[in-house]
Amino acid sequence: MPVYLGYFKSLGYTKTKLLSIRKSMAKSKTAYVCTDCGSEYSRWLGQCTDCKAWNTISEFRQAKLPDRGGNFAGFAGSALNDEAKVQTLDAIDLADLPRFSAGFAEFDRVLGGGIVPGSAILIGGEPGAGKSTLLLQTMCSLAANMTALYITGEESLQQVAMRAKRLALPTDKLKMLSETSVENICHIAIKEQPKIIVIDSIQVMHMSDVQSAPGSVSQVRESAAYLTRFAKQHHVAILLVGHVTKDGSLAGPKVLEHCIDCSIMLEGSTDSRYRTLRGNKNRFGAVNELGVFAMTGTGLKEVKNPSAIFLSRSEEQTPGSVVMVLWEGTRPLLVEIQALVDHSALGNPRRVAVGADQNRLSMLLAVLHRHGGLQLNDQDVFVNVVGGVKVSETSIDLALILALVSSFKDNALSQDLVIFGEVGLSGEIRPVPSGQERLNEAAKHGFKRAIVPFNNMPKQAISGMEVIGVKKLSDALEVI
Ligand code: TYD
Ligand code: MG
């Protein structure tokens, strides 16, 4: 600067003015962020050392946003806010936090009892999962009672209108906007005063302050952070749609998880009718709640009794099929586990688990060999959880082992038998939470017999059901 000082002075700049310009030109910070898990690195790496994913790290340029002092309306740059008020917890007014229903009981359940005003909720899922359909149905029903604004950045207004017409939704109240600029959206939201906004999708949104292209980590993260702040200040609930893709070109919703309040995934393969809604993070309720929907010709319909659909079995008894009771959040769910054990022609037999954990399957095969005396080294083993349900619970262990044995021995288990329990490495059967409720659910669906961990034996007998408690794997094998 000293070299050119004389030149700039001759142009009428003062030294202070020049210094302030130089300060504002300070380089924006660059970081490298994993699009799967959100870990940050100071340099690029081929593999994320946290989540071990390959090729997911992309450059992230932190935007130098002008300090708006929390003033969204005028973007005036008041630097420090003297009026920030410190309060004790009990002095905070809770009166304006009543939740409102999203119109679907299953959706409310996953949200922890409804939508909280001023919250930012991310709805993630693969393209075609039905995110836009679910939110359009929700918004059309909500619009009857409150101002609702649907921002579409991906589809044209005509496309959305056509879908609403085909689904026979009430269309007279919902306000629509086709826009991708976050600043404009907030500007219009201040004018329209909606109580709920849907942004479809966050990956096409952009902010003018951020240099990189829409869909990049920087844009997605800054846009989401900006919209979240907006939601908090204006007490608007904002639902953000986020696509999850296998390749790293779009920023995965993981990078947003820290700034939003709830993260919900809509899962289910496009070839199956059923979609499950699962909470991954929820600041206002429990996670791991499961909501079940069916995609029909007229949009998504709630499934009130999910056990019934995951259990639609043929009347015939088949070897390798076992019914178990899962515990999903706050309710039990009956699912069918299928196993196929077949002689392998390969030197290295296959072990395939769909809907269950592959490592757990290997572990259970070892336990079965050691404590059940059954050698499956020369057999291909396939395991499937029917209905596209993903089981992460350990209560699947016993059902899985008995399904494997049933298939290997070609011996069908009786249709009215239900099984659950965790299996330890020394062949012991360990109890699982909520045993009584699981058994009640099974009894409700007409199951007559149950094999459960000994410590899960019910205190009072369940009418019409014979419960067998087992302590060791060998006991369970004897029973069947
Ligand atoms: P969509 O909501 O567009 O998915 P996303 O926004 O998550 O990408 O849903 C698209 C899929 O849903 C599409 O493959 C067709 C199917 N679908 C139905 O089967 N029935 C319907 O009534 C609707 C609206 C969609
Ligand atoms: Mg969509």
Side-chain angles (χ1 to χ4, degrees), residues 245-267:
T245 46
K246 293 272 167 8
D247 82 276
S249 61
L250 290 179
K254 276 284 176 205
V255 298
L256 310 174
E257 253 175 24
H258 65 282
C259 74
I260 46 144
D261 297 311
C262 304
S263 164
I264 290 171
M265 285 292 169
L266 187 63
E267 293 166 343

Side-chain angles (χ1 to χ4, degrees), residues 360-373:
R360 210 150 182 102
L361 174 63
S362 307
M363 190 188 93
L364 292 174
L365 284 169
V367 173
L368 183 58
H369 178 212
R370 183 68 185 269
H371 302 284

Side-chain angles (χ1 to χ4, degrees), residues 125-134 154-155 163 166-167 200 241 243 266 270 275 295-300:
E126 289 183 13
K131 303 178 291 296
S132 307
T133 310
L134 175 68
E154 289 187 349
E155 293 163 294
R163 177 183 298 172
R166 200 166 57 72
L167 301 182
D200 190 0
V241 172
H243 292 291
L266 187 63
T270 32
R275 304 284 190 272
M295 180 63 93
T296 66
T298 50
L300 285 163

